[in-house]
């Protein structure tokens, strides 16, 4: 690999000189193959080999190409970034509930709508208190239904939120999906909320 010799040769000499092993994870070292230079990622180690006199006689090199793993991770990160951009562009609130602990995580927009603290996880009961009393039981029933395997796990409902401090009224459209394990028990329930207050008001005016 003459194209990376300037990088790996000093590593070899360092191991021979110091007797210390060297390890790299997912390091980009482009090499020439398939008729062209390719970006290739490697996890590898250089370790000293000692003889019977305990003197260093050579270097053991163990390497594993991790290009596919790194590229998949980069693709996942890109997908997450694109999803986050779409969520922010659409001004969605997002939530992720653990049905067993009844605690959930949410983005800052949803927490602001419900008047919740900025800590990472919140009790579901605290969030339900911000839902208008006329809608609270209906939302609770819909969540419980979605958490039943027979329902298919779908959640689709509109309801009203009243901010506990400012008393601002907001109508939201909630979409969600429950995920089930092999025992048909829900282990995750996540989704989005969209503020449709202006849309509802416009529809009411149009109806008038």
């Amino acid at each position: 690999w003459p194209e990376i010799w300037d990088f790996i040769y000093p590593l070899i000499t360092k191991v021979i000189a110091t007797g210390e092993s060297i390890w790299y994870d997912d390091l980009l070292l482009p090499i020439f193959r398939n008729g062209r230079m390719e970006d290739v990622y490697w996890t590898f180690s250089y370790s000293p080999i000692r003889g019977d006199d305990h003197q260093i006689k050579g270097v053991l090199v163990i390497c594993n190409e991790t290009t596919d793993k790194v590229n998949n991770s980069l693709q996942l990160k890109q997908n997450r970034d694109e999803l986050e951009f779409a969520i922010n562009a659409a001004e969605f609130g997002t939530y992720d509930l653990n049905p067993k602990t009844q605690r959930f995580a949410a983005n800052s927009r949803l927490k602001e709508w419900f008047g919740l603290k900025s800590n990472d996880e919140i009790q579901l009961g605290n969030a339900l208190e911000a839902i208008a009393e006329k809608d609270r039981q209906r939302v609770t029933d819909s969540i419980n239904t979605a958490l039943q395997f027979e329902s298919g796990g779908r959640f689709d409902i509109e309801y009203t939120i009243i901010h506990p401090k400012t008393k601002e009224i907001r109508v939201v459209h909630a979409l969600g999906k429950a995920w089930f394990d092999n025992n048909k028990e829900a282990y995750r329930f996540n989704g989005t909320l969209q503020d449709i207050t202006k849309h509802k008001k416009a529809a009411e005016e149009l109806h008038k």
Side-chain angles (χ1 to χ4, degrees):
W1 292 333
E3 61 272 24
I4 59 173
W5 185 246
D6 289 344
F7 178 81
I8 62 177
Y9 177 68
L11 301 181
I12 295 173
T13 57
K14 182 178 180 180
V15 171
I16 294 174
T18 66
E20 297 179 358
S21 298
I22 295 174
W23 178 281
Y24 284 92
D25 276 318
D26 301 330
L27 181 69
L28 175 61
L29 286 176
I31 62 172
F32 187 84
R33 67 180 182 186
N34 301 320
R36 61 185 179 86
M37 289 295 294
E38 292 186 8
D39 285 344
V40 184
Y41 292 86
W42 303 92
T43 290
F44 63 93
S45 66
Y46 287 178
S47 304
I49 299 175
R50 299 181 183 274
D52 294 336
D53 57 359
H54 300 294
Q55 298 300 310
I56 297 174
K57 303 299 184 180
V59 177
L60 173 65
V61 180
I62 299 177
C63 62
N64 179 40
E65 183 181 345
T66 59
T67 305
D68 288 343
K69 185 193 79 170
V70 172
N71 286 339
N72 288 339
S73 296
L74 293 174
Q75 184 62 49
L76 286 173
K77 183 180 185 303
Q78 180 179 348
N79 291 344
R80 286 195 298 267
D81 290 343
E82 290 176 353
L83 177 60
E84 183 178 355
F85 174 80
I87 288 173
N88 288 332
E91 298 184 344
F92 283 146
T94 62
Y95 63 90
D96 198 335
L97 172 70
N98 183 328
K100 295 182 179 179
T101 64
Q102 292 292 292
R103 297 183 68 82
F104 75 97
N107 67 354
S108 58
R109 181 175 292 109
L110 185 143
K111 291 176 183 176
E112 180 183 347
W113 290 349
F114 280 78
L116 299 170
K117 296 181 180 180
S118 60
N119 51 305
D120 291 334
E121 288 191 341
I122 306 154
Q123 286 288 348
L124 176 61
N126 295 339
L128 292 176
E129 292 177 0
I131 297 175
E133 187 174 355
K134 65 182 179 64
D135 293 335
R136 195 173 302 157
Q137 189 60 51
R138 185 168 55 87
V139 173
T140 301
D141 292 342
S142 295
I143 293 175
N144 290 335
T145 299
L147 295 177
Q148 301 301 314
F149 181 80
E150 295 75 15
S151 72
R154 299 293 180 181
F155 181 68
D156 185 349
I157 190 173
E158 292 182 9
Y159 58 89
T160 301
I161 301 169
I162 302 176
H163 194 284
K165 292 183 179 179
T166 66
K167 304 305 178 183
E168 179 183 2
I169 297 176
R170 193 185 307 270
V171 181
V172 297
H173 180 203
L175 290 173
K177 167 70 176 174
W179 305 89
F180 301 90
D181 58 23
N182 293 333
N183 296 321
K184 299 183 179 180
E185 293 184 0
Y187 65 87
R188 187 180 184 187
F189 178 57
N190 61 350
T192 62
L193 265 72
Q194 183 180 18
D195 184 351
I196 59 171
T197 308
K198 293 181 180 179
H199 173 74
K200 296 292 286 187
K201 289 182 178 177
E204 290 174 0
E205 290 298 321
L206 183 60
H207 179 69
K208 292 178 181 178

